[in-house]
Amino acid sequence: MAVIGAGWAGCAAAIELAQAGYKVTLLEAARTLGGRARRVDTDRAHLDNGQHILLGAYSETLRLMKLAGVERDQALLTLPLQMRYPPGTGGMDFAAPALPLPAPLHLAAALFKAQGLTPQDKLSLARFSTSARWMGWQLNTDCSVSELLERFDQTPRLTKLMWRPLCLAALNTPPERASAQIFLNVLRDSLGARRRASDMLLPRTDLSKLLPEAAAAFIGARGGTVRSGAKVQGIHSIEGRLWQLDISGAAVGGTWSTYFGGVVLATGAAQAAALLHDIPEHDTTALCGQLTAFEPEAITTVYLQYDAATRLDRPFYALLDEPYNHHYGQFVFDRGQLDASQAGLLAVVISASGPAAAQPQELLAEAVAVQLAVDFQRPELGRPDWFKVITEKRATYACAPGLRRPGNDSGLPGLVLAGDYTATANPAQTYPATLEAAVRSGVAAAALLKRSTVQ
């Protein structure tokens, strides 16, 4: 079996196939495993191409991490669901209790203790949660998140401090353009779930180590092969029984062709469309049109390095982003509280970052540093020792209302799709472009391939 692409979807599919006894060949064009959630080796430090938060509800991701030998407590810092702003910024302090209360009691307790929200704000949030539960977290017709919030009479302050940052973090799409149904799916598994499912899990290690490199070791231990720097240039169907892959790169010594009984195509949607379009034996026009219709959304992470003694009071904070005031940061993470080797390193995340990323990196980093200095009332934060701006231009796709997403079945025998862009069989389980969506897709692709091929 071949898996093309060693992002999180490809790694998940490869683990599942290897666990089932198949000899897996995992092919990755880049040198580093992880796809759009990976380690980046810079001239300053080993960084990630984006700061991620996992949820306790990411059951498939956590299951495969455990299967691949990743120790959860060592790899992830577990925090209760929270939205906490720096004191004195006009934000709020909302955090679920540490006690394992059943839903919705954990939300009620968090609301009771929350600071920075008016009684009207709290009533608005409680009414939203109650109504969403009564609706089963389902809409008859999808709409934008902004329309949903208006329909539920959410206050402007609650929208600004809670719903907008949650929508940006979860869907990487502004509320006015984001799918309300997909947003509700995420809320069901966070605000609407038991406390442990709503836990926020912060990676203590780099993203490539978190699952992809463990997946590579798992595959190798079961007789499989992992090749980085190996780009698949073409796919050909051989008599409807085999797939020929044309591969190039230093990892294979130039150009190489080989044959497989089944293929998981786990690249990004645009790359998948390019490979499918060039299969001469099949008409893939309709599928390729669907794959190229996704609108990309960027995520920018601004890394700011200070003296190693520099530390925030908490591992992360929400920030009030006001682009018109040059305040672009939406969340800041104290990497030193996650990994001691990164003491003094702060990571500031800007989701749906197209306009911000269009600025010169020096100006953006300076604006973010000034934002931190003002918000935390700490002038030294305005003078980092060095900075690094990393923008993943195609971090996700715009998660628009009613977006049509292909399934795992490509329609071609022995070839399946895997990626965070695929749809699930159960619409209620459909997630935006998150790590869990990618992993679930990889697991589903492997299951489909196992059913359609003979070991």
Side-chain angles (χ1 to χ4, degrees), residues 422-438:
T422 63
T424 60
N426 181 359
Q429 298 301 318
T430 298
Y431 265 28
T434 58
L435 297 179
E436 177 71 1

Side-chain angles (χ1 to χ4, degrees), residues 202-217:
L202 277 58
R204 294 181 181 272
T205 185
D206 69 66
L207 294 174
S208 292
K209 289 181 181 176
L210 193 59
L211 178 66
E213 291 180 0

Side-chain angles (χ1 to χ4, degrees), residues 177-232:
R177 296 192 286 110
S179 164
Q181 183 57 69
I182 301 300
F183 189 51
L184 284 173
N185 290 350
V186 175
L187 293 181
R188 181 196 62 227
D189 292 347
S190 52
L191 292 179
R194 68 189 192 282
R195 192 196 62 80
R196 287 190 61 84
S198 65
D199 280 345
M200 307 177 90
L201 312 178
L202 277 58
R204 294 181 181 272
T205 185
D206 69 66
L207 294 174
S208 292
K209 289 181 181 176
L210 193 59
L211 178 66
E213 291 180 0
F218 184 89
I219 294 161
R222 284 154 183 78
T225 303
V226 179
R227 295 183 182 272
S228 58
K231 183 176 182 179
V232 175

